[in-house]
Amino acid sequence: MSLPSLSPASASTATPTQAELLDFVRRTAADTELIASLPLDPEGRTWVRLAGPGGSEAWLIGWPPGTGTGWHDHADSVGAFVTAAGELKENALAARLPTDGWKTLELSDGVDRERLLTSGKGRAFGRHHVHEVLNESRERHAVSVHAYYPPLPRIRRYSRTGQTLRLEQVERPQDWQ
């Protein structure tokens, strides 16, 4: 479900750092009126595009119970996200993956990281950060705020079986806007 843009904060013209993106998503997540304005669908995620700082791409996302993103990365973009309501879990890989030219990769032991992000908690991340985000609640929606710079040129989607990670699909902006 795509909804019209909202602008919770004025955008600057300087290239935003990871810290500035994290500050933006934290401030935006604290805007209770904005968070409450997001229509929540019981079946699928909902989202509203926001005006991010310095030309960044930002999103307000609603997560029904039991939904998630699947494993993915944001290619050459850095980013940040904060849980504004509810609770999200992030599973991430603490490993630098090759950026191109592979379809299947065997992961080393000890690369898995798990974070539980309650309301107000979040994180920033660098380029090629591979993760999945989940709302594991059985009853409650979660809402989060995300920002990326540069605006997402592509998202690579992966499947994972045990320690094997497979590149399944590359999406471009026209695939999700």
Side-chain angles (χ1 to χ4, degrees), residues 109-170:
D109 289 336
V111 299
D112 290 295
R113 300 293 181 267
E114 181 180 302
R115 290 178 179 85
L116 191 58
L117 301 168
T118 57
S119 187
K121 302 292 183 196
R123 69 179 312 253
F125 53 85
R127 294 171 184 0
H128 311 290
H129 175 69
V130 177
H131 69 164
E132 67 175 347
V133 179
L134 309 160
N135 177 7
E136 293 185 321
S137 171
R138 294 177 186 243
E139 304 91 37
R140 188 168 178 207
H141 270 77
V143 177
S144 58
V145 181
H146 303 245
Y148 310 98
Y149 189 85
L152 296 172
R154 60 188 168 150
I155 292 177
R156 290 179 292 222
R157 300 228 175 249
Y158 305 97
S159 63
R160 181 164 180 196
T161 305
Q163 293 301 100
T164 303
L165 189 70
R166 285 186 182 82
L167 177 64
E168 298 290 347
Q169 177 179 348
V170 177

Side-chain angles (χ1 to χ4, degrees), residues 25-87:
V25 296
R26 281 186 175 141
R27 285 184 292 108
T28 304
D31 183 340
T32 55
E33 195 172 310
L34 175 66
I35 301 312
S37 74
L38 180 66
L40 300 177
D41 182 321
E43 300 298 319
R45 287 189 296 156
T46 53
W47 56 88
V48 174
R49 188 159 188 172
L50 306 171
S56 63
E57 180 173 346
W59 298 90
L60 176 62
I61 301 175
W63 305 76
T67 58
T69 60
W71 288 96
H72 67 284
D73 72 17
H74 305 100
D76 294 319
S77 297
V78 298
F81 71 100
V82 167
T83 302
E87 184 174 275

